[in-house]
């Protein structure tokens, strides 16, 4: 009798364990991924949590916000289209040399950041670079090397000092006719940072946003380890030059391999130095590691345009900012504080002096 | 046919039906493993009972019949999943019969654990052979581990069934008296 | 449970754990070099293609299995069977795999997709 009861109990015990295990299984941390095409590129968001509904809702909200910012910051739409009407940048450009335009809070924040870093970078970063970009034709089908005269003419219409912002009225004014804003060097990062803020607001603790190569991580990965983020090799298509370990940080790269054309045996990339009017050519790729994705996006352009040694020096003066560079002559340089969080893979192509 | 022989045939029919039903139901529980057709091995309880009552040959019959019928019913007849089921069934039947008839130290629990492990191993082996690749061995630990709880569960069930029947003499009529 | 039963149980558990340890080290590669992983696709035992699984890329292609054409999709560092001519569609239902050692198997089509290499990257900044 007792033996029977013992056996029955053990059988029930096994059943209970199975039930408990399946309950635990249903409460496990899951992944939810979603992707959308925005700002001319693929944006993907990966989040982790126990409640699938919460994950879905948070990601949808994040994408909605990214879409809103993308529409406000889009300088490409033509007059008469719906997209033109919802773009603050288009309106600002339309009123260049005429009058100030009232703008959305986020556009205001972006423009204020842009002016701040324009000064810090001694002019290497400039969102009023629109006329120059148009002249070179990087957005379109037939990019070409403009003659020196056209470049000088375009440069006359470039200069963030000619962008007047009024915080009280929330207006932006391009004071000279023919000026054009181009927020391409900072919009993706800024949008990604807002998206992360929304995910955090929804209680999410682990997430990764890949906005066309702008990476922003939240927390650690599912295995409680830092996220492993590769830095794309500027010359080899499926290889990485380094692997970063990030926790609650962003990694954004500016490179000369994304949009460029070749003419007369030389490569002309789309990251122009606003001071000279020509592409910056001393660096092949500049990757910035810092918490804020908007800042990382801005600084990646800054550190790409500045000469490599100057870029390292400037990064060193900023707290919480680190940079990884692959110079045009094949050297790998990076902030010394990145040691311990980076694994450099120079391979046969690049020279890496560990002393850096 | 003797009345005992008839009883045996009828009971065998029942066992096959039961085993087949278990096989089909098991197939519907989707286990998140990429080796298709991998099952927990619950249907083995019936096979083991058949071996206990009637010996290896009849146990094998029950096992093979359940794979055949089960596959016909679930529409997997002659599919590779069917091959996996066969190897699993044959492997586990052999091991269980071996242990039951030639050892005395194991109870039904141990035998059914061994049977479940052999069942899963047999399936893994068949899958590797079909794909001509040993990479699936990656799943060896998981398969072994999942076999253990089901083995214990079915073993406990059988143990209690047998001790019950020993008291009440329930199964005596069914057991073959000749060796 | 008899003593022999308990020994068997312990033996099985021990064997599983040991094989897990052995397999884990085999599939994770010896060194710490972190690179993107590859997917090896073989049909009827012969290697058909090896695909680099780098984050940020997306592709799909058709391959011929024993039963006919199957479509495989690659998205960054994961891969899956999109369509297959087999009856059970177990391979398709399995969805994505991305870790080294994981496999997608289509037994009727005799297709195997296996991930090799060391730990995959979560993303690539570019």
């Amino acid at each position: 009798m007792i033996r029977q009861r013992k056996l029955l109990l053990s059988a029930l015990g096994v059943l209970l364990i199975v039930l408990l295990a399946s309950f635990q299984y249903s409460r496990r941390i899951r992944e939810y991924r979603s992707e959308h095409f925005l700002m001319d590129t693929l944006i993907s968001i990966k989040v982790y949590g126990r409640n699938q509904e919460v994950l879905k809702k948070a990601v949808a909200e994040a994408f909605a916000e990214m879409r809103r910012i993308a529409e406000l910051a889009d300088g490409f739409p033509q007059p008469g289209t719906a997209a033109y009407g919802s773009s603050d940048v288009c309106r600002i450009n339309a009123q260049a040399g005429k009058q100030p335009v009232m703008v959305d809070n986020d556009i205001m924040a972006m423009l204020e950041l842009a002016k701040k870093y324009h000064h810090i970078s001694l002019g290497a970063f400039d969102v009023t670079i629109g006329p120059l970009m148009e002249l070179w034709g990087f957005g379109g089908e037939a990019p070409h090397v403009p003659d020196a005269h056209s470049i000088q003419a375009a440069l006359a219409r470039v200069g963030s000092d000619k962008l007047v912002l009024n915080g009280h009225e929330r207006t932006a004014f391009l004071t000279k006719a023919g000026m054009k804003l181009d927020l391409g060097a900072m919009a993706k990062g800024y949008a990604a940072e807002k998206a992360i803020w929304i995910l955090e607001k929804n209680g999410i603790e682990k997430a990764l946003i890949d906005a066309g190569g702008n990476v922003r991580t939240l927390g650690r990965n599912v295995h409680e380890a830092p996220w492993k983020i590769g830095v794309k090799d500027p010359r080899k298509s499926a290889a990485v030059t380094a692997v970063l370990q990030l926790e609650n940080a962003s990694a954004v790269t500016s490179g000369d391999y994304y949009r460029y054309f070749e003419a007369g045996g030389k490569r002309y990339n789309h990251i122009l130095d606003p001071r000279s009017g020509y592409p910056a050519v001393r660096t092949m790729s500049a990757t910035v590691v810092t918490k804020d994705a908007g800042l990382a996006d801005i600084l990646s352009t800054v550190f790409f345009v500045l000469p490599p040694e100057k870029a390292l020096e400037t990064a060193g003066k900023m707290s919480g900012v680190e940079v990884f560079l692959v110079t045009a002559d094949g050297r790998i340089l990076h902030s010394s504080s990145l040691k311990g969080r980076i694994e450099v893979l120079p391979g046969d192509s690049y020279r890496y002096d560990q002393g850096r | 046919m003797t009345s005992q022989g008839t009883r045996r045939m009828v009971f065998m029919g029942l066992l096959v039906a039961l085993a087949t039903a278990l096989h089909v139901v098991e197939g519907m529980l989707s286990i998140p493993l990429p080796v298709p057709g991998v099952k927990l091995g619950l249907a083995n309880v019936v096979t083991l009972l058949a071996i206990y009552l009637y010996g290896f040959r009849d146990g094998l019959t029950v096992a093979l019949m359940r794979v055949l019928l089960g596959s016909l019913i679930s529409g997997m007849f002659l599919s590779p999943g069917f091959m996996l089921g066969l190897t699993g069934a044959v492997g586990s039947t052999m091991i269980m019969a071996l242990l039951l008839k030639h050892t005395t130290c194991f109870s039904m629990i141990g035998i059914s654990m061994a049977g479940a492990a052999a069942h899963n191993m047999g399936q893994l082996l068949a899958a590797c052979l079909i794909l001509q690749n040993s990479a699936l061995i990656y799943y060896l630990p998981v398969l072994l581990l999942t076999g253990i709880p089901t083995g214990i569960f079915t073993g406990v069930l059988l143990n209690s069934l047998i001790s019950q029947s020993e008291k009440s003499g329930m199964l005596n009529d069914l057991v073959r008296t000749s060796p | 449970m008899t003593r022999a039963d308990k020994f068997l149980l312990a033996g099985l558990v021990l064997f599983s754990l040991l094989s897990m340890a052995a397999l884990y080290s085999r599939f994770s590669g010896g060194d710490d070099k972190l690179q993107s992983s590859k997917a090896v696709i073989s049909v009827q035992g012969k290697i058909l293609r090896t695909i680099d699984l780098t984050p940020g890329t997306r592709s799909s292609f058709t391959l011929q299995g024993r039963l006919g054409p199957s479509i495989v999709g690659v998205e960054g560092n994961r891969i899956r069977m999109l369509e297959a001519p087999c009856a059970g569609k177990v391979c398709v239902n399995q969805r994505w795999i991305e870790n080294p050692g994981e496999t997608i198997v289509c037994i009727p089509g005799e297709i195997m997709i296996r991930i090799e290499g060391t730990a995959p990257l979560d993303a690539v900044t570019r």
Side-chain angles (χ1 to χ4, degrees):
Chain A
M1 243 333 121
I2 300 172
R3 188 132 171 271
Q4 228 183 323
R5 198 158 335 138
K6 262 215 274 200
L7 287 169
L8 194 65
L9 279 174
S10 60
L12 273 174
V14 171
L15 194 68
L16 215 75
I17 291 174
V18 169
L19 281 172
L20 220 77
S22 46
F23 178 66
Q24 276 287 81
Y25 184 71
S26 68
R27 289 251 315 139
R28 72 195 186 288
I29 294 187
R30 293 173 234 232
E31 178 188 276
Y32 175 67
R33 283 186 201 224
S34 181
E35 286 179 346
H36 288 278
F37 208 70
L38 280 176
M39 291 184 271
D40 234 355
T41 188
L42 192 65
I43 312 233
S44 105
I45 300 187
K46 265 199 295 205
V47 291
Y48 297 85
R50 295 185 200 274
N51 188 328
Q52 194 78 344
E53 291 310 310
V54 168
L55 297 179
K56 276 194 173 141
K57 170 176 171 287
V59 171
E61 239 186 271
F63 269 119
E65 176 67 4
M66 292 187 85
R67 189 167 282 124
R68 189 185 71 89
I69 294 185
E71 283 171 8
L72 288 167
D74 193 355
F76 285 111
Q78 294 305 308
T81 60
Y84 188 80
S86 37
S87 161
D88 274 3
V89 167
C90 284
R91 287 188 307 121
I92 298 171
N93 290 345
Q95 299 296 326
K98 296 186 196 145
Q99 59 183 337
V101 171
M102 204 164 120
V103 296
D104 178 276
N105 280 318
D106 284 299
I107 296 291
M108 196 63 196
M110 281 203 259
L111 293 175
E112 281 171 347
L113 264 175
K115 284 201 79 157
K116 173 178 170 190
Y117 284 95
H118 172 80
H119 287 121
I120 291 179
S121 67
L122 304 174
F125 184 80
D126 200 324
V127 289
T128 65
I129 204 171
L132 206 58
M133 292 295 283
E134 232 179 19
L135 179 64
W136 281 82
F138 279 109
E141 281 131 28
H144 62 283
V145 185
D147 59 275
H149 183 75
S150 315
I151 291 190
Q152 286 310 307
L155 278 176
R157 291 179 280 135
V158 170
S160 285
D161 46 307
K162 301 196 262 292
L163 166 68
V164 174
L165 302 176
N166 187 324
H168 297 291
E169 319 265 308
R170 235 171 66 210
T171 61
F173 183 23
L174 290 169
T175 54
K176 195 160 175 189
M179 286 184 79
K180 263 200 160 99
L181 280 181
D182 183 338
L183 297 183
M186 63 181 296
K188 285 197 205 100
Y190 186 87
E193 190 62 23
K194 292 228 78 187
I196 279 285
W197 180 77
I198 286 179
L199 295 179
E200 256 184 318
K201 197 169 60 98
N202 276 277
I204 293 178
E205 293 174 356
K206 293 168 165 30
L208 186 144
I209 298 185
D210 183 340
N214 291 20
V215 177
R216 173 47 156 122
T217 63
L218 182 62
R220 277 176 255 160
N221 72 14
V222 176
H223 308 293
E224 291 302 325
W227 302 86
K228 291 203 204 85
I229 310 294
V231 177
K232 183 164 152 51
D233 187 316
R235 291 293 178 266
K236 278 209 278 216
S237 69
V240 291
T241 312
V243 179
L244 295 160
Q245 302 213 31
L246 300 183
E247 218 178 289
N248 274 319
S250 306
V252 176
T253 303
S254 282
D256 69 352
Y257 47 87
Y258 226 18
R259 252 189 228 162
Y260 66 94
F261 66 90
E262 293 194 346
K266 272 178 76 176
R267 177 187 291 227
Y268 295 90
N269 73 80
H270 78 295
I271 304 179
L272 306 173
D273 186 333
R275 303 163 295 187
S276 69
Y278 289 89
V281 291
R282 266 169 298 208
T283 305
M284 288 202 279
S285 97
T287 304
V288 172
V289 176
T290 187
K291 183 161 190 221
D292 187 302
L295 182 60
D297 206 355
I298 292 176
L299 290 179
S300 72
T301 304
V302 170
F303 294 149
F304 182 89
V305 172
L306 288 177
E309 277 72 21
K310 187 89 179 117
L312 267 178
E313 191 196 309
T314 312
K317 293 205 196 111
M318 297 177 164
S319 98
V321 170
E322 285 145 330
V323 66
F324 174 86
L325 302 162
V326 181
T327 68
D329 54 353
R331 284 175 300 143
I332 291 180
L333 307 166
H334 65 77
S335 306
S336 50
S337 48
L338 266 183
K339 254 196 209 132
R341 276 183 298 147
I342 190 173
E343 167 140 358
V344 181
L345 306 163
D348 301 318
S349 335
Y350 309 112
R351 298 190 311 280
Y352 176 49
D353 174 12
Q354 295 265 5
R356 265 299 189 166
Chain B
M1 201 183 307
T2 64
S3 71
Q4 196 173 56
T6 318
R7 259 198 212 120
R8 194 185 116 229
M9 241 193 25
V10 169
F11 201 59
M12 279 282 285
L14 275 174
L15 288 177
V16 169
L18 186 59
T20 308
L22 278 173
H23 180 108
V24 171
V25 166
E26 243 189 347
M28 297 198 275
L29 294 168
S30 60
I31 313 283
L33 286 174
V35 188
V38 161
K39 298 188 203 275
L40 285 176
L42 284 173
N44 274 338
V45 66
V46 181
T47 312
L48 188 50
L49 182 62
I51 299 175
Y52 173 76
L53 291 174
Y54 303 126
F56 172 60
R57 232 171 317 137
D58 286 341
L60 191 63
T61 309
V62 170
L64 293 174
M65 291 295 301
R66 83 153 156 100
V67 175
L68 192 70
L69 290 174
S71 304
L72 274 172
I73 293 176
S74 23
M76 272 184 19
F77 186 54
L78 287 186
S79 77
F82 173 69
M83 309 294 174
L84 295 191
L86 271 182
T87 47
V90 168
S92 67
T93 310
M94 287 190 341
I95 295 276
M96 292 194 294
L98 209 78
L99 290 178
L100 189 65
K101 297 300 177 191
H102 295 279
T103 65
T104 48
C105 52
F106 290 106
S107 75
M108 286 307 199
I109 298 178
I111 298 178
S112 91
M113 274 199 299
H119 181 253
N120 286 352
M121 293 303 95
Q123 294 190 318
L124 190 65
L125 186 68
C128 285
L129 285 174
I130 291 178
L131 289 165
Q132 299 170 40
N133 195 314
S134 62
L136 287 175
I137 207 172
Y138 177 74
Y139 295 103
L140 174 68
V142 185
L143 288 179
L144 273 182
L145 286 175
T146 47
I148 294 173
T150 38
I152 295 179
F153 184 68
T154 51
V156 165
L157 250 134
L158 269 180
N159 257 355
S160 74
L161 178 69
I162 288 168
S163 57
Q164 264 281 53
S165 77
E166 262 164 24
K167 287 195 194 109
S168 63
M170 190 170 70
L171 292 174
N172 285 346
D173 297 339
L174 299 167
V175 178
R176 205 164 39 183
T177 47
S178 47
Chain C
M1 244 199 190
T2 67
R3 241 178 97 214
D5 288 341
K6 292 188 189 140
F7 268 118
L8 180 63
L9 174 63
L12 282 174
V13 172
L14 197 68
F15 184 62
S16 320
L17 294 175
L18 284 174
S19 49
M20 248 201 281
L23 287 170
Y24 183 70
S25 61
R26 176 186 179 216
F27 282 99
S28 291
D31 51 298
D32 267 351
K33 245 215 245 137
L34 303 162
Q35 286 171 359
S36 55
S37 45
K38 299 192 219 288
V40 178
I41 304 182
S42 50
V43 175
Q44 296 178 291
K46 288 201 290 274
I47 296 184
L48 208 70
R49 271 176 89 144
T50 303
I51 313 228
D52 262 325
L53 299 172
T54 354
T57 57
R58 225 186 190 185
S59 63
S60 67
F61 57 91
T62 314
L63 54 85
Q64 290 295 333
R66 207 188 63 127
L67 295 173
S70 306
I71 304 185
V72 175
V74 180
E75 206 181 79
N77 57 6
R78 49 187 203 163
I79 189 170
R80 72 169 291 192
M81 190 77 84
L82 285 169
E83 272 169 46
C86 55
K89 305 269 190 263
V90 174
C91 50
V92 180
N93 289 338
Q94 207 187 323
R95 315 205 75 227
W96 302 98
I97 54 167
E98 63 183 282
N99 298 309
E102 282 191 286
T103 58
I104 296 177
V105 165
C106 179
I107 293 201
E110 294 183 37
I111 303 174
M112 184 163 92
I113 303 176
R114 189 173 131 224
I115 304 216
E116 277 179 17
T118 48
L121 298 171
D122 293 305
V124 174
T125 168
R126 55 200 183 278

